[in-house]
Amino acid sequence: MLDASFTISPVNPCLGEEVTLIPNTPGGTFTGNGVTDDGNGDDGTFVANECGIYAVTYVLDDPNGCNNSYTLNIYTDTVAPEIPSMDAWASGADAFDNCGSVSITYRIFDRRSGCSPGTGTYVFEFTATDECGNTAVDYANYVVRDITPPVIS
């Protein structure tokens, strides 16, 4: 029986990125949503325009009239974005992703009151979300202190 398995490159594609489908045994046909096979029995290509899991199948006909097939699931962008150190977050939080743009949201996660009115520690939660819904979360503290000495009148 012929080996109908194949490999892909890159393994974790971004949206719109072309993936090369490389058969272990040439001579078959690749099929599936987003797949292009030129019919030469060699490599095929795959491109995802939406996030998700795509089943790609390679069918190899054997000289005896039988066929063998292999299906591989391709997952688009499974890597979460990265939020760099939050030390200087007050000047604007930022995040990076291996694929495309990232949106950042934040909220007050916790607040601990201080001794004086309006003082305390605020804990902010930052969430970075990429185009495929992968998320990263980080936290930063913001401390409000009363450093004004009292005035005697």
Side-chain angles (χ1 to χ4, degrees), residues 38-131:
D38 62 10
N40 67 2
D42 219 358
D43 296 355
T45 58
F46 163 80
V47 176
N49 292 317
E50 294 181 15
C51 301
I53 304 169
Y54 294 83
V56 174
T57 301
Y58 184 63
V59 178
L60 191 59
D61 293 327
D62 128 336
N64 298 326
C66 297
N67 68 24
N68 193 13
S69 66
Y70 176 77
T71 300
L72 178 69
N73 287 330
I74 299 176
Y75 296 78
T76 56
D77 186 16
T78 59
V79 178
E82 293 181 35
I83 301 175
S85 171
M86 298 301 290
D87 294 339
W89 71 269
S91 63
D94 203 2
F96 305 96
D97 191 51
N98 65 317
C99 296
S101 63
V102 180
S103 64
I104 298 177
T105 58
Y106 66 91
R107 69 182 182 101
I108 296 176
F109 180 75
D110 190 20
R111 182 183 186 291
R112 294 182 187 97
S113 295
C115 295
S116 302
T119 63
T121 301
Y122 295 84
V123 179
F124 284 83
E125 177 184 75
F126 293 86
T127 303
T129 306
D130 71 12
E131 294 172 342

